[in-house]
Amino acid sequence: MKITRASVNITSPGRNFVTLKIETDEGIHGLGDGTLNGRELAVASCLNEHLLPCMIGRDPFQTEDIWQYLYRGGYWRRGPVLMSAIAAIDVALWDIKGKALNTPVYNLLGGKSREGVMVYAHASGKDIDHALEDVARYKEAGYKAIRVQSGIPGLGSAYGVPRGTNRYEPAQRGLPHEERWSTEIYLRHTPRLFERVRKAFGEELHLLHDCHHRLTPIEAGRLGKELEPFHLFWMEDPTPAEWQEGFKTIREHTTTPIAVGEVFNSIWDAHDLIRNQWIDYLRMSLVHGGGFTPLKKAADFAALYHVRTGFHGATDLSPITMAAALHFDLAIHNFGIQELMPHNEETNRVFLHQYTFKDGMMHPSDTPGLGVELDEAQAAKYKYQRAYLPVNRKLDGTLTDW
Ligand code: CS2
Ligand code: MG
């Protein structure tokens, strides 16, 4: 089999998505996601101008050699733009391989290790009372694990909490919106939020929280310690992770489990975190971490240190990445949990997917390959629109880490 054509589709059914389609001389095609929130066209250009011309004529079954060719052969390694572009190619090739062998991708990764994939939902509210109402809604819908974020008195808009009645979406069209932040107020507020959630819903529900990289290691240590009585499943992105050793300080102060990695794109971003056992869950996703080929190795390395996966799954990861993640989650032994932020109806009409949700668990489907197709006529209805994640400043105007 040979690759005959590779093309990039950019569509915006409510938010931007970059999709790669690789076609072969045997009529089988594969899809890969290359969406990088707020930097979408950089990945599209990397694919079109630099990587795709080298793919024509290659054997799509050679996923290992092609990945090494793109990673080692290009001299410049890593970085979210390049690794998302490489991921789009890698995932599309695994889709082709599954279709050609007439088997779901999870069988190429070791076969099923479990019957379903536990996912966590996002509950939020402008204050604690509204957040509790949202938790109740998700619990009623069958979720076994719920991330809880709430607006913070005195801070206006807050990360992860929709403004007004809009559905929460991490990026906004136009130029970046600015939010205000105060670590002091946040640290006072968050233990109260979880005290109320536990009181209202009991011990059984898994509770998660995302700090969005805004604390110093010692502040994160304090928060983790104060959250200990409420037994969180994890505290996510407590501090920026460029300095991996910062997590040592957090670990020395708390037993609250720690998840990190949605911004990582290489095992080298997490190498010290894992081998020193400073984290419990690795969130590096298939799209931003370079695809199935490196993530399988990263997961196996993490398994040696009792670190499990907890893949990023916000709406900026397309249904192709969601399907790919579910195949991966079903197969690998050290799976922990999968984030789920359901896409809007327009997106689900553009990306026709087969995955299912029941009682808080998901399944990727048994369709050969990934089980996702792109409806190109639907996709053509939604033109790209520039959009950004919000920028954060402290109350005095100083920019925060995120
Ligand atoms: C978040 C995301 O889902 C999460 O945990 O941190 O909302 C994240 O900010 C965006 O996906 C970034 O693109
Ligand atoms: Mg996050």
Side-chain angles (χ1 to χ4, degrees), residues 170-225:
Q172 279 157 38
R173 289 171 173 166
L175 292 178
H177 162 81
E178 294 201 2
E179 294 182 346
R180 289 285 157 158
W181 176 252
S182 157
T183 298
E184 295 75 17
I185 306 179
Y186 169 79
L187 286 177
R188 281 201 300 273
H189 173 83
T190 305
R192 287 186 210 145
L193 167 67
F194 282 93
E195 186 178 14
R196 292 274 311 276
V197 179
R198 271 287 174 239
K199 210 178 250 165
F201 298 97
E203 275 291 327
E204 217 172 295
L205 200 58
H206 294 305
L207 298 178
L208 299 83
H209 181 69
D210 191 349
C211 309
H212 235 231
H213 330 260
R214 292 189 189 163
L215 306 175
T216 64
I218 198 68
E219 289 163 350
R222 168 182 153 190
L223 180 63
K225 197 180 208 171

Side-chain angles (χ1 to χ4, degrees), residues 6-11 16-22 30-35 43-44 47 52 88 318-320 350-351 372-374 379:
S7 51
V8 175
N9 179 290
I10 304 174
T11 181
N16 297 318
F17 293 109
V18 175
T19 305
L20 173 67
K21 180 177 181 184
I22 297 186
L31 297 179
D33 176 22
T35 308
V43 181
L47 282 165
L52 297 184
S318 94
I320 299 170
V350 170
F351 297 93
V372 188
E373 289 305 331
L374 179 72

Side-chain angles (χ1 to χ4, degrees), residues 147 159 210 212 236-237 262 283:
R147 185 186 92 165
Y159 157 76
D210 191 349
H212 235 231
E236 175 184 337
D237 287 342
E262 66 182 47
R283 284 179 52 70

Side-chain angles (χ1 to χ4, degrees), residues 9-13 15-20 31-35 315 317-321 343-355 371-376 378-379:
N9 179 290
I10 304 174
T11 181
S12 196
R15 69 154 354 277
N16 297 318
F17 293 109
V18 175
T19 305
L20 173 67
L31 297 179
D33 176 22
T35 308
T315 38
L317 291 87
S318 94
I320 299 170
T321 292
H343 292 101
N344 65 18
E345 281 313 307
E346 292 87 342
T347 302
N348 290 335
R349 280 197 291 272
V350 170
F351 297 93
L352 307 169
H353 57 75
Q354 312 278 324
Y355 47 75
V372 188
E373 289 305 331
L374 179 72
D375 183 327
E376 292 178 32
Q378 282 290 329

Side-chain angles (χ1 to χ4, degrees), residues 99-112:
K99 286 173 175 164
L101 297 173
N102 198 31
T103 194
V105 168
Y106 66 74
N107 275 336
L108 307 178
L109 297 165
K112 286 188 222 178

Side-chain angles (χ1 to χ4, degrees), residues 227-241:
L227 290 175
E228 278 171 23
F230 316 117
H231 304 141
L232 263 60
F233 187 95
W234 79 33
M235 172 169 85
E236 175 184 337
D237 287 342
T239 194

Side-chain angles (χ1 to χ4, degrees), residues 158-170:
Y159 157 76
V161 179
R163 275 177 292 143
T165 53
N166 291 342
R167 182 192 165 101
Y168 176 64
E169 161 53 51

